[in-house]
Amino acid sequence: MQKHVDLEQFVVIDETAPLAANTHGGRAKCLQRLIRLNMPVPLTVALPFTTVRAIATGMQVDTDAILKHFGARPLVSVRPSSEDPDWGGPGAVLNIGMNDARHAEYANLLGHVAADELYARFVQTYSVEVAHLDPDSFEFDVADADALKAMLAAYEEEADEPFPQDPTRQLRDVLKSMARAWEGTSARLLRQARGAPDNAGLGLVVQRMAPGLGPRESGSGVIQFVSSETGKAQITGRYLSQAQGRDALEDAGAFYLTVDPRGKSLEEIYPEGFDKLVEFGAVCRQRLREEMQIEFTLDGGELSVLDAVRVQRSAQAGLRIAVALAEDGVISREEAVLRIPPGGLMELMHRRIDPSSPRDVLARGVAASPGAATGYLKFSSAAAQAAAAQGEPSILVRRETSPEDIRGMHAAQGVLTMRGGMTSHAAMVARGLGLPGIVGASTIHYNRKNKTITAPDGRVFGEGDLITIDGTSGSVLAGEVTLLEPALDDTFQTLLGWADEMRDIKVRANADTVEEAQMALAFAAEGIGLCRTEHMFFEENRLTVMREMIFSETTDGRAAAVERLVPMQLSDFRRLFKLLAGKPVCIRLFDPPLHEFLPQTREGMRELADALDVPLSKVERRVDALAEFNPMLGLRGVRLGVTMPEIYDAQARAIFMATVEALQEDNPVTPEIMIPLVSARREVELVQGRVEAVAAEVRAKTGVDFEYKLGVMVETPRAALRAGEIAAHATFLSFGTNDLTQMTYGLSRDDAGRFMSDYVQKGVYPEDPFHRLDLEGVGELLQLGADRGRAVRSSLTLSICGEHGGDPDAIAFCRDAGFDYVSCSPFRVPVARLAAAHLAIRDGQAQSK
Amino acid sequence: MQKHVDLEQFVVIDETAPLAANTHGGRAKCLQRLIRLNMPVPLTVALPFTTVRAIATGMQVDTDAILKHFGARPLVSVRPSSEDPDWGGPGAVLNIGMNDARHAEYANLLGHVAADELYARFVQTYSVEVAHLDPDSFEFDVADADALKAMLAAYEEEADEPFPQDPTRQLRDVLKSMARAWEGTSARLLRQARGAPDNAGLGLVVQRMAPGLGPRESGSGVIQFVSSETGKAQITGRYLSQAQGRDALEDAGAFYLTVDPRGKSLEEIYPEGFDKLVEFGAVCRQRLREEMQIEFTLDGGELSVLDAVRVQRSAQAGLRIAVALAEDGVISREEAVLRIPPGGLMELMHRRIDPSSPRDVLARGVAASPGAATGYLKFSSAAAQAAAAQGEPSILVRRETSPEDIRGMHAAQGVLTMRGGMTSHAAMVARGLGLPGIVGASTIHYNRKNKTITAPDGRVFGEGDLITIDGTSGSVLAGEVTLLEPALDDTFQTLLGWADEMRDIKVRANADTVEEAQMALAFAAEGIGLCRTEHMFFEENRLTVMREMIFSETTDGRAAAVERLVPMQLSDFRRLFKLLAGKPVCIRLFDPPLHEFLPQTREGMRELADALDVPLSKVERRVDALAEFNPMLGLRGVRLGVTMPEIYDAQARAIFMATVEALQEDNPVTPEIMIPLVSARREVELVQGRVEAVAAEVRAKTGVDFEYKLGVMVETPRAALRAGEIAAHATFLSFGTNDLTQMTYGLSRDDAGRFMSDYVQKGVYPEDPFHRLDLEGVGELLQLGADRGRAVRSSLTLSICGEHGGDPDAIAFCRDAGFDYVSCSPFRVPVARLAAAHLAIRDGQAQSK
């Protein structure tokens, strides 16, 4: 926030000048710090936000008074100084003060070439950026011999006046132009996209030019001491003789900094300057507690530091820099942890498209599961499996996926669908598998028969064509693209290890299969917060049994079919318990509607009729009978558990038998059994009664005693409202925020895609409530549920297990509300661990203030 | 509730005996009243609930002491006396005390025939009902000469003992048998179905027999003074010479009561007795404040009143009796209003199946819209319309209906579908039209091609076969059935007029069309609480325009199409405002998802492609693109209003132009515009802004100023939670409890049918929350919403407009919460008016206590 104090129109920066980033901008503040560190910073004057805002509205600033500080023949630059350098600002303007008289003096002093270039650069910038003349008329290389003359003529031609000679007017015009540019719509949108608030201010710094041109060694350069890509210590940058600004970075003739076999280096041609710069870098790192990039000039061998900014860095580099600073004792571990934005970790955990690689984007869809993958287009599970058998990468393309596609998804490198949203089958499975996925790419035309997809531009791709999908951005790309590997190195582990020591809320993972559980453990999840068991029913041999169950006419027939699944589920749970080795596992009982287990196509129905040896018409009738208008709100979850109790009985039996086996193998487990889609207390009572009976039966049969916990997944608004009476029968409540959000808003996540971006743009919803937990609405239900539950049972374990589990805001909410843990997809576990640490550190800081 | 006082084992009923209906039962209490009115009631002893309960558990009651009251040669009957006579009880046992010795005495006294019959009747009842011997062995007409001997022999044969001779034992066994019968499961279920509580008690009355047999004029009869069917004054009943109990009602030889050309009458043969009975009737009506049916005997010309019970009555008769009693000053108008159960009114408002007509039930479905209708099966809208053109009644049968079927439904007498639930299209439209409807009759197999339906028993019905549907019960019947016309007579209007004077919450109707609005006014609705405008888009010429809009590629194209609907809608609103003549009209803006306007069948799509002159593939793609996974939670309501604002603009324009016209015709109207499916404040703001702009435009164009109100339909849990900020932009909130219930439970009403009955049976939900408002969950959201809304805007108008608007519990809730009105379907308006009056009267009574 801007402080309300009277500020001078401008201030000369020295060690004690009253300056702050939130009044004069980050650049002004940083220059003062460099001065305090005794660096050779040319004389600089800072204009605060208030002055710049006044200039933009037409006020005259006393430019004479400013220029007076720069002596009789001022030559200055103006640079933007926004509060956060990342918010950007108008481009720098150099060599203000150049005019015919000064040109002649510099020609004497530095030679004609240097003087021409100084003047030409200023005329060019002034004409285009300040006077807004036609840029085409000023398209010259400022180093060209004729450029200056031509541009002075062009100015006179276009502006109907000779090029302004008065430095005071020059500076006034430059300041005004920069102040106004900041108020422009595009600049505003751009900085808001980078996180700037509505009322972000701009400061400006006016600095004595160190020209970088002249007869003795002169030039400009940029240096940093770590790699922006990896964060490892490495002197990086360029130096260009007879140059100004940041030209060195773009000029083929620039020198290396350190001795290099490929060409000349600053270290060789001017070792004293180089050593000085290295020393400056070390000072900055130690005293500014950050890796800085330094902009410098040499003028006849004299070194000036014009500016220093935080080194730009990839997520990976950021991590390494923070860890290195902490390990060197420059910053604390808390500080290192705080410096890493949790969301940035996602980038490290998946393959991604090399930012420098060219892209041919065909279409966009919903970015359903992060990561990038390249493969040959395959239109069926079978084709994807065949490709995998031959070691060929594939991308499985389907209009939408169904249980039959699971094996194809296992075999493919990525999945692309034309329909569905973030909670569609394809999206859920892909995230679970850590498989890059794009869903709802509705602008692509899918032709199942011909096995082709047609891009909006008309290009057709068939089986065997290579495509790349970027599940992080939702882009579908033609052909192959260079991919970068994930970066889960020691630094990553070190930082997250520190985070774990600091945080005070547990993090579990949602994991349905042994593979996902392995991933969860690899990311140091403290247990499984949501193991959806329905995936166990979709595997091929089990799907058949499930279908037989669905076609059973009697309760006994159903029970018999379901019983055949017990040994299969037992083996799943056996492996899970073994893997988790005592860490908690929360198992959600069967949830999906039965029609998900039936084929949707005519072919599929025909196959099923053959397999079950029943008439096709019977299959059709059953499919028809089980179809639902709103499957989300239909016969699923505990409603199935109550009306067809044999399913939950069988699941409980498998869980308890696996528990007994684990106990016998000296791996004590207390399984947590979770009932989905509860809306009334009595549902819990009924399931509780049957589960208790199954437990008693297993205890009697095996002679082994064991413990278990029974809890409820709170995902209907009513369950949250009635959490008090529900908690009387539950030892834990886990809020399923996906469904809870859908029901609270009356909004299907799968169907919201069609208008969500429009809604967010219009500010109807501040953000997509499926990405960021809606604290006002859904959050109130969470709070009500938590309070009412704990009022009845103070030992109640509370958690969330929706996809918001990895959202820092949601974690903050849960922590404040006294939740025990959050659970999220394995890949978000590190994000959650880090976000939780941030909260604990900030709380600690706030308390110690 | 049973009082906890020490009761005697039994009590002799006289004017002052300590007796109450909740300790001794209604019959005992009524007999005491008759005694107080000086009626000739034979000596009666009453056993309280506590005694009977003790007997049932094996306690011995002092039967000797009871019998002592009846003298040396006791001959008694025992009858049940439950708290409310409607709860039923075991059958009466007559002539207890008969044995060989008494038989001989009576033979001397009354003659052999009478003595035989007295004994035979007792032996028969005792053997079958008390000793539980095989009923087949006792199937005799008790008036037969051989019956007694045969049954005494049968008893000895079956029971291995002679028929018990000791009156003490006889009475003990009878009491025990009746006490136990009350505790039996079937008796318990039966009385609970009639509204008895779990712990309902049974009293018994032991009464001296007035035999009704003997040499001088003896017999028994039943008399009442109004018709049970119509409630009109009319002496009704029969008298049978030489008979006991209620035999007169079933015997062809029974006499009429009043002089009758068809046969003998009591009035003729025994005018003194008849006059006495008429006098008793008048006394009962005046003093018991009720129309009573009197059971009497003559014994040698001596009249006894054995019992009197409330006259059984149809809903219509009940209404007339109550009104007549109030008009005669016997009871107050409040009392008359309270005596009519609101739910019972429904029966009066629709055609119904004559209860005495034989029924051939083919199948059952969801009772979606009450009333009965007979017609020829028709499988398409066109066929139903053709039938209507020829004056032929029809029942429209469809798998499920779509907008294209509306005209067929207008033409048909009833509608039957195989799919859908209470909120399916067919159900909603049928209720709106007052058209009998059954939906979700899933056991019927529907064959569209052959135009047949097949009943579960295999019978096939085709186009032109007559069927009858009973939308009140959900039964589908073969052929024609006698129907009774609705009974909306003066009495009905009188009673509801009284109710209107007493109630203190307004009642509006949900009405979408002018026809429905007419119905609403006929039922004295105080305005329209919910006018769903989408029906206006489904009429044929409008449907075409809507479809053109859906296929427009541009905003302008859409706006142009929608503008063409303005004149059509204008004419709808013009008629509506004229009809309502100043009564309030709350118009809900467009709500349904667009895919409802597209054909679902291939044929339909082909026709549409032809009509719009676009390729079939384009239609298919659009249908596909608009399809939704969960339409209930999709792109509809205000979401359409925000993303395609031209629809709401056009609607607002039509509403305001109609308002201007009404003003110009001296019919001032303040339309209420309601925004559906709101989940966030900003949605309301955006619509508000556009509606205001349209209003300004219409004002400017017409030069006429007008007022309107803008409000919100609260049907998502989030809207209820955020009612405070929403109310800042709304002058009214109307809770749409249908959708709110669906979202709070996470339960689609259309899909809940498959398990709802199971759920209610298992007590998971105490009742179907779509029929009875869930006060605990949904109710809390209503309360929260109301409180938060009123906190921000104290003048906020509050109402409910879901189907619960006619549910007495919901009305009570709304009244307590300070709501301004409830709105329900036109046919439920009288129910709501009456229920509201009940609440106000009861509140008044409670306060005056």
Side-chain angles (χ1 to χ4, degrees), chain B residues 641-656:
Chain B
V642 165
T643 54
M644 296 190 180
E646 49 276 8
I647 302 179
Y648 282 8
D649 285 358
Q651 289 200 292
R653 190 165 302 121
I655 293 168
F656 293 143

Short mmCIF file of all heavy atoms in Angstrom, two decimals, chain B residues 641-656:
data_model
loop_
_atom_site.label_atom_id
_atom_site.label_comp_id
_atom_site.label_asym_id
_atom_site.label_seq_id
_atom_site.Cartn_x
_atom_site.Cartn_y
_atom_site.Cartn_z
N GLY B 641 -28.63 -16.27 -19.12
CA GLY B 641 -28.91 -14.84 -19.10
C GLY B 641 -27.64 -14.00 -19.14
O GLY B 641 -27.61 -12.93 -19.73
N VAL B 642 -26.59 -14.50 -18.51
CA VAL B 642 -25.33 -13.76 -18.48
C VAL B 642 -24.53 -13.99 -19.76
O VAL B 642 -23.96 -13.07 -20.32
CB VAL B 642 -24.51 -14.16 -17.23
CG1 VAL B 642 -23.07 -13.70 -17.35
CG2 VAL B 642 -25.15 -13.60 -15.98
N THR B 643 -24.52 -15.24 -20.25
CA THR B 643 -23.67 -15.52 -21.41
C THR B 643 -24.38 -15.20 -22.73
O THR B 643 -23.71 -14.97 -23.73
CB THR B 643 -23.20 -16.99 -21.41
OG1 THR B 643 -24.34 -17.84 -21.31
CG2 THR B 643 -22.29 -17.27 -20.24
N MET B 644 -25.70 -15.19 -22.75
CA MET B 644 -26.44 -14.78 -23.96
C MET B 644 -27.48 -13.76 -23.54
O MET B 644 -28.69 -14.04 -23.55
CB MET B 644 -27.17 -15.99 -24.57
CG MET B 644 -26.25 -17.07 -25.08
SD MET B 644 -27.24 -18.26 -26.02
CE MET B 644 -25.95 -19.41 -26.48
N PRO B 645 -27.03 -12.56 -23.18
CA PRO B 645 -27.94 -11.60 -22.54
C PRO B 645 -29.11 -11.18 -23.42
O PRO B 645 -30.10 -10.66 -22.93
CB PRO B 645 -27.04 -10.43 -22.19
CG PRO B 645 -25.79 -10.62 -22.97
CD PRO B 645 -25.66 -12.06 -23.30
N GLU B 646 -29.02 -11.43 -24.72
CA GLU B 646 -30.10 -10.99 -25.60
C GLU B 646 -31.44 -11.65 -25.25
O GLU B 646 -32.50 -11.07 -25.48
CB GLU B 646 -29.73 -11.22 -27.08
CG GLU B 646 -29.20 -12.58 -27.43
CD GLU B 646 -27.69 -12.71 -27.18
OE1 GLU B 646 -27.07 -11.79 -26.57
OE2 GLU B 646 -27.12 -13.73 -27.57
N ILE B 647 -31.39 -12.87 -24.66
CA ILE B 647 -32.66 -13.53 -24.32
C ILE B 647 -33.39 -12.74 -23.23
O ILE B 647 -34.58 -12.42 -23.36
CB ILE B 647 -32.41 -14.98 -23.84
CG1 ILE B 647 -31.67 -15.79 -24.91
CG2 ILE B 647 -33.73 -15.66 -23.50
CD1 ILE B 647 -31.37 -17.22 -24.50
N TYR B 648 -32.67 -12.40 -22.16
CA TYR B 648 -33.32 -11.66 -21.07
C TYR B 648 -33.72 -10.25 -21.53
O TYR B 648 -34.75 -9.73 -21.11
CB TYR B 648 -32.40 -11.59 -19.85
CG TYR B 648 -32.35 -12.85 -19.03
CD1 TYR B 648 -32.95 -14.03 -19.47
CD2 TYR B 648 -31.71 -12.89 -17.79
CE1 TYR B 648 -32.90 -15.20 -18.71
CE2 TYR B 648 -31.65 -14.03 -17.02
CZ TYR B 648 -32.24 -15.19 -17.49
OH TYR B 648 -32.20 -16.34 -16.74
N ASP B 649 -32.88 -9.65 -22.36
CA ASP B 649 -33.23 -8.32 -22.88
C ASP B 649 -34.59 -8.37 -23.55
O ASP B 649 -35.46 -7.53 -23.32
CB ASP B 649 -32.19 -7.86 -23.92
CG ASP B 649 -30.88 -7.44 -23.26
OD1 ASP B 649 -30.80 -7.47 -22.02
OD2 ASP B 649 -29.95 -7.10 -24.00
N ALA B 650 -34.76 -9.36 -24.41
CA ALA B 650 -36.01 -9.46 -25.16
C ALA B 650 -37.18 -9.71 -24.22
O ALA B 650 -38.25 -9.12 -24.38
CB ALA B 650 -35.91 -10.58 -26.19
N GLN B 651 -36.96 -10.55 -23.22
CA GLN B 651 -38.05 -10.82 -22.28
C GLN B 651 -38.43 -9.57 -21.50
O GLN B 651 -39.60 -9.27 -21.33
CB GLN B 651 -37.64 -11.93 -21.32
CG GLN B 651 -37.56 -13.29 -21.99
CD GLN B 651 -37.63 -14.40 -20.96
OE1 GLN B 651 -36.70 -14.57 -20.17
NE2 GLN B 651 -38.71 -15.13 -20.95
N ALA B 652 -37.40 -8.87 -21.03
CA ALA B 652 -37.66 -7.66 -20.26
C ALA B 652 -38.43 -6.66 -21.13
O ALA B 652 -39.39 -6.03 -20.68
CB ALA B 652 -36.36 -7.04 -19.77
N ARG B 653 -38.03 -6.56 -22.39
CA ARG B 653 -38.71 -5.62 -23.28
C ARG B 653 -40.19 -5.97 -23.41
O ARG B 653 -41.07 -5.12 -23.30
CB ARG B 653 -38.02 -5.61 -24.65
CG ARG B 653 -38.49 -4.50 -25.56
CD ARG B 653 -37.55 -4.30 -26.74
NE ARG B 653 -36.21 -4.00 -26.28
CZ ARG B 653 -35.13 -4.73 -26.55
NH1 ARG B 653 -35.22 -5.81 -27.32
NH2 ARG B 653 -33.95 -4.39 -26.07
N ALA B 654 -40.46 -7.25 -23.61
CA ALA B 654 -41.87 -7.68 -23.76
C ALA B 654 -42.65 -7.38 -22.48
O ALA B 654 -43.78 -6.89 -22.53
CB ALA B 654 -41.91 -9.16 -24.10
N ILE B 655 -42.04 -7.67 -21.34
CA ILE B 655 -42.73 -7.44 -20.06
C ILE B 655 -43.04 -5.95 -19.89
O ILE B 655 -44.15 -5.56 -19.55
CB ILE B 655 -41.86 -7.93 -18.87
CG1 ILE B 655 -41.73 -9.45 -18.90
CG2 ILE B 655 -42.46 -7.46 -17.54
CD1 ILE B 655 -40.67 -10.02 -17.96
N PHE B 656 -42.05 -5.09 -20.20
CA PHE B 656 -42.24 -3.66 -19.96
C PHE B 656 -43.24 -3.07 -20.96
O PHE B 656 -44.03 -2.19 -20.61
CB PHE B 656 -40.91 -2.92 -20.02
CG PHE B 656 -39.99 -3.30 -18.88
CD1 PHE B 656 -38.62 -3.42 -19.07
CD2 PHE B 656 -40.50 -3.55 -17.61
CE1 PHE B 656 -37.78 -3.77 -18.03
CE2 PHE B 656 -39.67 -3.89 -16.56
CZ PHE B 656 -38.30 -4.02 -16.77
#
